[in-house]
Amino acid sequence: MAAGRTFGFREAAMRTGGCQCGAVRYEVSAEPLALYICHCLECRKQSASAFGMSLEIPRSGLRLVAGAPKVWTREADSGRKVRCVFCPDCGSRLWHEGDDPEAGFLTVKAGSLDDPVDVSEAIHIWTARKMPGLAIPPGARSFPGEPE
């Protein structure tokens, strides 16, 4: 993703977020790398909606400030393991990370942020699996599956 895209946030702003019940809270100090709107079945099930939204950030940019989330691990279509971090009380999904702790990024579930993100520059992925009738905005970057 090109530098300077902030997805609706002021440059260098601290972002805060947390679960639905407020037991788990986090801060994001890093600038976003990308915003993905994922139309795969797993993201639809996880969000109980038409798609899931994930804000990619450097791993070092996330700080847990309250609570003790739990982790559930699943296999992605790529065969890689995905660690799904969620609140043990209300079940809200908060972020995803790979099973490699040395990986340089993770994805915050954008709906768990306190302030909304601007989806106008989102990258749509797994569009081959999108729900019938859902329109991808003209000119949006999109991929029928998972991009490289």
Side-chain angles (χ1 to χ4, degrees):
M1 190 91 303
R5 293 185 179 171
T6 59
F7 306 100
F9 296 106
R10 294 181 311 278
E11 198 72 32
M14 177 69 69
R15 294 156 188 85
T16 57
C19 66
Q20 192 171 8
C21 73
V24 179
R25 299 287 302 159
Y26 63 83
E27 292 178 344
V28 174
S29 60
E31 289 306 312
L33 303 172
L35 175 63
Y36 294 101
I37 293 180
C38 183
H39 301 271
C40 79
L41 180 59
E42 289 294 327
C43 284
R44 291 191 341 240
K45 283 186 174 189
Q46 174 266 306
S47 67
S49 188
F51 50 80
M53 293 192 307
S54 297
L55 189 67
E56 184 177 84
I57 64 165
R59 183 182 289 269
S60 62
L62 179 80
R63 186 172 76 91
L64 183 65
V65 295
K70 287 196 172 192
V71 175
W72 173 68
T73 302
R74 68 171 180 84
E75 188 171 311
D77 283 345
S78 66
R80 294 181 294 213
K81 300 290 184 194
V82 177
R83 292 172 37 88
C84 307
V85 181
F86 64 98
C87 173
D89 295 329
C90 68
S92 296
R93 194 75 62 91
L94 300 167
W95 67 85
H96 289 170
E97 52 190 45
D99 60 352
D100 178 5
E102 300 302 313
F105 67 91
L106 54 81
T107 56
V108 172
K109 300 311 291 177
S112 72
L113 289 161
D114 294 335
D115 293 322
V117 295
D118 177 354
V119 299
S120 64
E121 294 183 10
I123 302 166
H124 290 256
I125 61 175
W126 287 104
T127 58
R129 296 183 179 171
K130 72 176 181 64
M131 294 183 87
L134 193 132
I136 305 298
R141 287 181 63 197
S142 64
F143 299 87
E146 187 170 340
E148 294 295 320

